[in-house]
Amino acid sequence: MFPFRVIDEASVRQLLDMKNVIELVERAYTLKEQKEASLFPMVFHEFAPGKADMDIKSGHLKGAHIFGLKLVSWFGDNPSKQLPALVGFVMVLDSNTGVPKGMMSGEPVTLMRTGAAGGIGAKYFARPESENLLLVGSGHLAPYEIMATLSTMEHIKKVTVYNANSYERAAAFCATAKDKLKNMFLPPYQHDQELYQTLLDRIDIEYVATDNIRAATEEADIIITATPSHKPIIMKEWVKPGTHFSCVGADMAGKQEIDENLFSSARVFVDDVTQAINVGETKVAVQKGLITKDDIISEIGSVILGKTPGRLSDQDITIYDSTGIALQDLITADYVLKKAEEQGIGTVAEL
């Protein structure tokens, strides 16, 4: 018999904050680079093509003494049954014993660690003085990508938001962005007035919707793409020297957000080489022979550890292809389990 903790979505949200998740995700990247963490092969299955599927991402963080998986299913007809279309959970196990530690709702973990990844990409590859952030996509990920980037980049003055399908949705998002960021992300820092005020000042900037993606691209210093697009939204000829891209939307075959021709003149970094060339933003560029696997400079863990330089000059265009790896989910979920145990949160069963 051993205790197994189950944590619901609301409790996971309560236990996570962006500052800690950024640190956790960086640790996952560095453990991978130090060969203290590894990924297992991805599993994908379609129950009904285009209507229902599931995928499993899993891995082992030897350096954190855990292994586990994230399972996400998508059943397109669920809303008609008053059920969410997307359902996921993360399970964490002790790698010294194989004993399960617990499981939790996967959505808040995924949103936080994906947002953190975009901000970490900006931190290590964007020009430090960058002022203009362009966010392509105004969906669930949007506030997470913005908050993570404002947390890691101190000179951002304007966030421009583009929704390829609806200017109105982008405008509605921008109208409430400040309040949304404050309410979603700042409560955990109320005990630390200095940090709270710093983040409040970072949030208190201009948020503007655009229907002119070319003009927005030409102005941007940092571009984060977080959409389900299957064709390029941003073209190479619009991009000015010195621009950084954090691409987080392309996480399965067929997805693409930026012109593949950008890769041939950019410094390209990834979270995992195998995933990037098989399901990431990098896939099309490799498929078309514009770059090879060897043209990828490195995985991001090498840059965080100072082994590989990121940006070499203010003129470099940099691309960080963040496909999303199980190690991010697992290290974040393990943190949630520890906090939940400390605070007596969740349901504990004996298995």
Side-chain angles (χ1 to χ4, degrees):
M1 301 284 285
F2 48 84
F4 180 79
R5 191 174 296 270
V6 180
I7 309 175
D8 63 67
E9 182 175 317
S11 297
V12 176
R13 292 187 190 279
Q14 173 189 334
L15 292 165
L16 285 175
D17 70 277
M18 187 58 78
K19 179 177 180 290
N20 274 308
V21 175
I22 287 171
E23 292 172 359
L24 290 162
V25 171
E26 286 196 19
R27 183 166 181 243
Y29 291 151
T30 57
L31 286 173
K32 187 175 188 294
E33 179 63 28
Q34 293 165 327
K35 311 301 182 192
E36 287 289 307
S38 56
L39 296 173
F40 305 148
M42 291 173 60
V43 176
F44 176 76
H45 178 73
E46 285 190 300
F47 300 101
K51 293 186 176 181
D53 60 47
M54 73 96 202
D55 69 85
I56 300 171
K57 290 182 176 180
S58 55
H60 175 205
L61 288 110
K62 180 181 176 183
H65 311 294
I66 57 171
F67 71 101
L69 61 90
K70 181 174 78 172
L71 187 153
V72 176
S73 64
W74 175 76
F75 282 70
D77 292 337
N78 270 7
S80 67
K81 303 171 186 175
Q82 286 70 57
L83 293 169
L86 202 67
V87 179
F89 68 86
V90 184
M91 181 181 287
V92 181
L93 303 94
D94 187 319
S95 63
N96 293 317
T97 63
V99 170
K101 298 176 70 173
M103 64 179 286
M104 67 198 64
S105 171
E107 182 181 11
V109 171
T110 301
L111 290 168
M112 287 290 282
R113 63 82 153 158
T114 306
I120 291 166
K123 176 181 176 180
Y124 287 96
F125 304 119
R127 288 177 293 109
E129 67 276 14
S130 294
E131 295 183 352
N132 294 307
L133 168 64
L134 169 60
L135 178 65
V136 182
S138 61
H140 291 322
L141 272 172
Y144 296 87
E145 297 299 339
I146 293 172
M147 190 66 227
T149 306
L150 295 181
S151 297
T152 58
M153 304 297 295
E154 60 181 296
H155 298 297
I156 302 294
K157 293 181 178 178
K158 182 169 79 167
V159 177
T160 303
V161 180
Y162 176 74
N163 184 313
N165 300 313
S166 171
Y167 169 79
E168 288 72 25
R169 270 181 274 170
F173 174 85
C174 289
T176 61
K178 286 183 192 178
D179 286 340
K180 185 174 289 187
L181 293 172
K182 180 181 177 181
N183 294 334
M184 286 177 66
F185 300 107
L186 265 55
Y189 310 119
Q190 288 176 337
H191 64 283
D192 184 340
Q193 277 303 306
E194 184 177 351
L195 177 57
Y196 184 88
Q197 189 60 50
T198 296
L199 293 174
L200 193 61
D201 291 342
R202 298 258 182 105
I203 287 169
D204 190 21
I205 55 174
E206 185 180 6
Y207 299 85
V208 182
T210 185
D211 57 3
N212 187 337
I213 186 60
R214 177 168 188 159
T217 300
E218 289 171 345
E219 180 185 50
D221 300 308
I222 300 169
I223 300 174
I224 298 181
T225 58
T227 75
S229 178
H230 282 65
K231 62 182 181 181
I233 298 171
I234 292 179
M235 305 312 293
K236 180 180 180 180
E237 59 267 26
W238 307 343
V239 179
K240 70 181 182 184
T243 302
H244 166 68
F245 287 87
S246 284
C247 301
V248 304
D251 58 356
M252 62 178 62
K255 288 188 176 182
Q256 184 181 8
E257 300 182 290
I258 65 174
D259 185 351
E260 65 271 18
N261 292 295
L262 274 160
F263 283 80
S264 57
S265 55
R267 287 179 62 78
V268 180
F269 301 86
V270 301
D271 53 6
D272 180 75
V273 170
T274 301
Q275 279 191 196
I277 63 176
N278 284 297
V279 299
E281 192 68 42
T282 309
K283 179 179 179 176
V284 176
V286 172
Q287 270 186 333
K288 292 189 174 182
L290 297 167
I291 63 169
T292 68
K293 177 180 175 181
D294 293 338
D295 290 317
I296 296 171
I297 306 291
S298 75
E299 293 184 354
I300 192 170
S302 181
V303 180
I304 295 171
L305 289 169
K307 293 163 60 177
T308 302
R311 170 177 298 277
L312 297 180
S313 80
D314 286 347
Q315 299 299 300
D316 286 335
I317 292 172
T318 53
I319 297 173
Y320 174 48
D321 184 2
S322 174
T323 56
I325 55 177
L327 306 179
Q328 297 167 262
D329 299 296
L330 295 173
I331 202 166
T332 304
D334 190 49
Y335 170 83
V336 170
L337 286 168
K338 289 171 182 171
K339 295 285 285 186
E341 184 176 2
E342 290 172 7
Q343 299 179 30
I345 292 174
T347 301
V348 180
E350 293 286 340
L351 294 183

